[in-house]
Amino acid sequence: MELYDSATSAWSSSGSSSSSSSKPPPQHQQDIDGLLAEAGYKIRSSDLRQVAQRLERLEIAMVNSPADFSQLASDAIYYNPSDLASWVDSLLSEFTQPATCPSEFIMDPVTNQTVVNNVWTTDEPHTPQVHQNISYEQQSLNHQLTVVTAMEENSGIRLVHMLMTCAECVQRGDLSLASSLIDDMQMLLTRVNTVCGIGKVAGHFIDALSHRIFQGIGVGSINGGSVYENEILYHHFYEACPYLKFAHFTANQAILEALEGHDCVHVVDFNLMHGLQWPALIQALALRPSGPPLLRLTGIGQPSPDGRDSLREIGLRLAELARSVNVRFTFRGVAASRLEDIKPWMLQVNPEEAVAVNSIMQLHRLLGSDSTRNCPIETVLSWIRSLNPKIMTVVEQEANHNQPGYLDRFTEALYYYSTLFDSLEACTVQPEKALAEIYIQREIANVVSCEGSARVERHEPLAKWRTRLSGAGFRALHLGSNAFKQASMLLTLFSAEGYSVEENEGCLSLGWHSRPLIAASAWQVMPDPAAEFLAWDNHQSFS
Amino acid sequence: MQHHHRNRHRQGQETVEENKEKRPKFFINDHVDILVEILKRLDGRSLGVAACVCRLWCTITRNDSLWEDLCFCHLSPPPSRVRSIVVALGGYKRLYMACVRPVRSRLGKVRGASWTRDEAQLSLSLFCVDCYERLGGVEGSNSSTGRLVGESSASSLMFLCKPVNV
């Protein structure tokens, strides 16, 4: 079968066409399915269901009677394969056994591939004779049911295809076709279950795409919610799924081990929010065999517009907790709207204290670069290095959402967030679940509809972070078996069965059904040989 | 209540026989120290049941030290600092009800089976986060903040609750 190039017009009868852009279908052929037409098949939309059923039957027939199949392959005449309906009919008539066995299409949400599950022959051998034992009524009823499921799954698959096509149009700049696709998709959404599964995720992506198409890039940010709103959403995301808990506990374990033996410790948190990470560290330090150290916490956060000093409030709460468990504690809040605006002197690090830097999903926001300035990530990493921390814990989303090509980014995001939403289905606590979904939705909106400095969700996978951090003068610290044990234990506490922790060259990642979604790693500063020599030389000359 | 009868039988064997001549019956409520020793050895569910027996038993079971053994049984004696921390964070009974019991049931621990220091530490950490969330409302001026924290104060450990099958 020939597959026509999608760029050429699909309605020309000759094999090739000179037109370079796909034209909208002429009026009298409006009922031909557009998506399949781009691939070269002419099927009426109204015939789609029947053709799908017959394709099912054809496949079962082929699988069940290999003898006929080989004969088919050797000598048979086919009709024009672009007329898919009659082609399938002609092939079916070649087979002696009409297979009436109902089957289901099951869509694997992660890989978006369809797997045919033959309902009747799961336990029995693959023989067509089995079907004759089943009563006609049951057959037709089940066939109706599977047709409904098949239709819904088909709608889900169609949605995904349409989303990809729309993203590709956006990449090409063909906004008119993109907007008509948006309308089609919104109509298709009404036929799909939007409470769970692909329908829900698709809805968010459609919203983000339409925002990009109709309101332009970076014009008002879709996630320009107030600081207060963001904190609430973050809190509910923390409650609803284990990703942030995993991040906090793993980072705390690494920090605890690195700060062992030091009596004066200073932890710098790049995004304080409600400070949920620190009670556990305070308690662990209180129970340290060598006694609790003096703990200084510097929390960086967004300035609140209404004059509330939210950083100070959180600091007071943490101080009260620390006081109750007898840990000497001081807190300092640094308000900054962007991490790159911070200068190291603002953190007031003493040379005697052991510093730990903690970044939970903040470094990726620094990857956007204006052509005029340096990449902010390099500035920040260099001043982190100048603080000489004993450890820097980095937790980032394990996704590749910073590729230059829009379609690649879109596809990655679709798979990533589908998996994330899938894992969220297991959460049973409301309203945490609903608000966690809004939190994720804002991320989606930023990845899909923003560009330039407005696009802050520039996730990169762990491998890229390794290269980047090694290049900036850091070396990886292995997280250790305690962290792994703790993470595994934490996961068994969550009622959902799909989470998995993996260890990868000393870094831990948490995933859903073996797709890693968030990765935690620890780093220390690579000693600079020249600086060390200078320090030694100075020491020698003074002694 | 099997422990109760067995212990009473073992510990109070001679006392029972002696007292049979002196007094018509042996009333455990007269010997609160023995009662406490017995109750200390019960598991969580039995302790809860014991609390419903009578007012004296109810008062005794409210004593936090009974729950301490339940939380850290089979572990080598923890340093004394643990006690002060747990008490500061809300007490052993709360620790047991909020963290230890659901964590143990989730981790599939059979009643009375020993559990490791790691599991105990994880429970303690989760308990600490929960306590911190309940601390909210330090600033009473902003009512909406108070409401936010009040709403979410109990939810840090919600994931430990069994999902209700509706």
Side-chain angles (χ1 to χ4, degrees):
Chain A
M1 288 180 273
E2 282 177 18
L3 287 176
Y4 294 124
D5 187 283
S6 60
T8 65
S9 167
W11 292 276
S12 60
S13 50
S14 59
S16 61
S17 159
S18 55
S19 67
S20 56
S21 63
S22 55
K23 293 183 280 199
Q27 278 304 110
H28 65 276
Q29 283 181 325
Q30 196 65 6
D31 57 342
I32 300 245
D33 181 83
L35 275 179
L36 287 166
E38 285 205 2
Y41 297 102
K42 264 197 299 185
I43 309 173
R44 281 199 290 273
S45 306
S46 47
D47 285 344
L48 271 177
R49 180 196 291 195
Q50 285 166 298
V51 171
Q53 282 176 26
R54 287 186 209 141
L55 277 170
E56 280 179 51
R57 277 195 251 154
L58 182 61
E59 178 168 1
I60 293 150
M62 281 184 175
V63 166
N64 290 339
S65 44
D68 289 343
F69 181 57
S70 55
Q71 181 209 359
L72 203 62
S74 55
D75 57 356
I77 301 164
Y78 305 109
Y79 291 106
N80 179 7
S82 69
D83 184 6
L84 195 58
S86 42
W87 180 82
V88 170
D89 285 342
S90 71
L91 271 185
L92 262 180
S93 62
E94 298 284 333
F95 283 91
T96 49
Q97 300 255 11
T100 53
C101 168
S103 60
E104 287 173 63
F105 279 119
I106 294 169
M107 186 161 82
D108 185 338
V110 175
T111 60
N112 270 333
Q113 289 167 351
T114 53
V115 172
V116 174
N117 179 20
N118 196 322
V119 169
W120 295 105
T121 59
T122 40
D123 306 333
E124 294 151 298
H126 249 289
T127 52
Q129 281 80 18
V130 170
H131 314 316
Q132 285 142 24
N133 296 334
I134 301 149
S135 71
Y136 176 72
E137 278 172 24
Q138 211 176 5
Q139 264 186 337
S140 65
L141 180 68
N142 280 312
H143 205 67
Q144 280 171 24
L145 284 175
T146 52
V147 163
V148 167
T149 348
M151 270 308 294
E152 171 143 331
E153 300 298 352
N154 281 342
S155 299
I157 302 168
R158 285 194 70 190
L159 256 183
V160 172
H161 282 142
M162 287 173 86
L163 277 169
M164 306 288 209
T165 317
C166 187
E168 202 230 339
C169 294
V170 169
Q171 178 173 275
R172 272 196 320 231
D174 187 352
L175 294 184
S176 55
L177 181 56
S179 56
S180 70
L181 276 169
I182 297 271
D183 294 331
D184 293 342
M185 284 195 283
Q186 271 164 349
M187 269 204 314
L188 190 55
L189 260 188
T190 58
R191 285 197 272 157
V192 173
N193 181 11
T194 50
V195 173
C196 63
I198 189 71
K200 186 190 263 187
V201 187
H204 296 318
F205 275 87
I206 293 169
D207 288 340
L209 271 172
S210 63
H211 193 266
R212 187 185 179 110
I213 293 168
F214 298 120
Q215 278 169 260
I217 295 164
V219 172
S221 43
I222 204 174
N223 57 336
S226 74
V227 170
Y228 183 61
E229 274 176 29
N230 285 341
E231 285 182 1
I232 296 178
L233 291 177
Y234 187 86
H235 193 122
H236 286 91
F237 183 62
Y238 176 87
E239 307 293 359
C241 38
Y243 303 108
L244 288 178
K245 288 193 176 78
F246 161 78
H248 290 174
F249 276 79
T250 310
N252 282 344
Q253 184 67 29
I255 293 174
L256 196 62
E257 287 173 7
L259 296 179
E260 188 63 49
H262 291 99
D263 282 327
C264 239
V265 310
H266 185 173
V267 178
V268 178
D269 187 3
F270 276 3
N271 190 21
L272 187 66
M273 286 291 180
H274 285 159
L276 288 167
Q277 180 172 355
W278 307 116
L281 183 68
I282 292 173
Q283 173 256 309
L285 286 173
L287 285 178
R288 225 167 55 153
S290 51
L294 164 63
L295 173 64
R296 280 185 62 198
L297 177 66
T298 300
I300 299 173
Q302 299 275 327
S304 9
D306 54 354
R308 262 178 57 235
D309 196 349
S310 53
L311 286 173
R312 187 168 167 271
E313 289 164 5
I314 302 294
L316 282 174
R317 268 167 76 180
L318 286 169
E320 183 173 324
L321 182 82
R323 192 192 48 80
S324 67
V325 296
N326 287 325
V327 174
R328 290 164 297 153
F329 178 81
T330 61
F331 175 83
R332 196 181 144 74
V334 176
S337 47
R338 292 179 316 175
L339 205 52
E340 57 254 42
D341 294 336
I342 302 228
K343 305 283 181 294
W345 57 262
M346 296 180 190
L347 304 176
Q348 293 189 351
V349 171
N350 282 339
E352 276 88 47
E353 47 189 23
V355 178
V357 174
N358 180 68
S359 157
I360 308 279
M361 306 195 305
Q362 294 303 301
L363 288 186
H364 65 252
R365 305 171 86 91
L366 302 168
L367 292 176
S369 59
D370 284 343
S371 48
T372 52
R373 310 176 296 159
N374 281 346
C375 218
I377 181 80
E378 289 164 18
T379 326
V380 173
L381 284 178
S382 70
W383 65 247
I384 294 176
R385 261 194 107 223
S386 71
L387 297 176
N388 197 17
K390 290 277 172 297
I391 186 170
M392 175 171 73
T393 48
V394 173
V395 178
E396 285 289 330
Q397 287 96 333
E398 181 66 12
N400 202 355
H401 296 157
N402 199 22
Q403 295 162 86
Y406 184 74
L407 182 59
D408 297 327
R409 218 159 68 216
F410 187 87
T411 316
E412 259 285 324
L414 191 57
Y415 285 132
Y416 179 83
Y417 287 106
S418 307
T419 316
L420 194 55
F421 265 93
D422 224 16
S423 72
L424 202 51
E425 286 304 311
C427 169
T428 51
V429 284
Q430 293 283 8
E432 278 78 10
K433 181 178 173 183
L435 290 172
E437 285 177 5
I438 298 180
Y439 174 84
I440 303 173
Q441 185 188 350
R442 288 195 176 179
E443 263 187 34
I444 295 175
N446 192 276
V447 175
V448 171
S449 69
C450 294
E451 282 301 335
S453 56
R455 178 157 68 94
V456 289
E457 301 291 342
R458 295 176 180 260
H459 311 147
E460 284 194 346
L462 183 59
K464 276 200 186 169
W465 282 111
R466 280 214 187 105
T467 323
R468 198 182 283 278
L469 288 169
S470 311
F474 291 89
R475 119 181 114 198
L477 271 177
H478 277 226
L479 282 173
S481 57
N482 282 335
F484 185 81
K485 265 194 290 184
Q486 190 182 72
S488 314
M489 249 196 294
L490 188 63
L491 285 188
T492 42
L493 297 180
F494 273 83
S495 46
E497 291 286 314
Y499 293 109
S500 58
V501 184
E502 278 168 19
E503 190 263 345
N504 178 2
E505 287 177 40
C507 303
L508 291 184
S509 63
L510 171 61
W512 174 256
H513 284 134
S514 73
R515 155 85 214 232
L517 293 174
I518 189 169
S521 53
W523 302 85
Q524 67 182 175
V525 176
M526 239 173 355
D528 187 6
E532 271 194 4
F533 176 75
L534 270 172
W536 175 81
D537 196 43
N538 282 336
H539 180 74
Q540 290 293 95
S541 58
F542 281 127
S543 62
Chain B
M1 303 290 62
Q2 299 301 325
H3 305 264
H4 175 203
H5 294 299
R6 239 185 295 137
N7 277 341
R8 178 181 73 154
H9 196 70
R10 241 186 288 126
Q11 286 183 17
Q13 186 81 19
E14 56 283 19
T15 331
V16 169
E17 278 155 3
E18 274 179 86
N19 287 344
K20 259 193 180 141
E21 282 82 34
K22 297 180 188 169
R23 268 194 283 171
K25 60 186 174 191
F26 174 80
F27 195 38
I28 187 68
N29 282 5
D30 291 336
H31 303 260
V32 175
D33 49 343
I34 300 178
L35 180 57
V36 168
E37 284 298 316
I38 296 168
L39 291 178
K40 258 194 204 171
R41 287 157 172 77
L42 290 182
D43 65 292
R45 195 173 178 278
S46 306
L47 205 47
V49 169
C52 308
V53 168
C54 64
R55 274 204 208 105
L56 175 65
W57 286 35
C58 187
T59 319
I60 292 175
T61 50
R62 287 224 191 93
N63 189 341
D64 217 31
S65 58
L66 283 182
W67 299 89
E68 176 178 353
D69 285 322
L70 207 50
C71 291
F72 292 121
C73 67
H74 301 290
L75 276 182
S76 58
S80 56
R81 267 181 284 132
V82 172
R83 179 176 297 172
S84 57
I85 285 168
V86 174
V87 166
L89 293 178
Y92 280 98
K93 183 173 182 191
R94 244 203 82 70
L95 172 62
Y96 181 78
M97 294 306 293
C99 292
V100 173
R101 188 168 64 109
V103 167
R104 290 188 80 173
S105 70
R106 282 289 171 87
L107 292 178
K109 293 292 169 181
V110 180
R111 233 191 271 173
S114 65
W115 71 329
T116 63
R117 188 165 284 279
D118 295 325
E119 290 154 359
Q121 274 174 359
L122 185 61
S123 300
L124 203 50
S125 300
L126 289 171
F127 185 57
C128 197
V129 178
D130 179 65
C131 168
Y132 170 73
E133 284 187 314
R134 282 168 196 280
L135 265 185
V138 166
E139 68 299 333
S141 53
N142 195 344
S143 58
S144 56
T145 318
R147 186 163 46 87
L148 152 74
V149 178
E151 261 174 35
S152 58
S153 65
S155 57
S156 145
L157 297 174
M158 280 293 282
F159 73 100
L160 286 174
C161 299
K162 285 200 171 57
V164 177
N165 203 350
V166 285

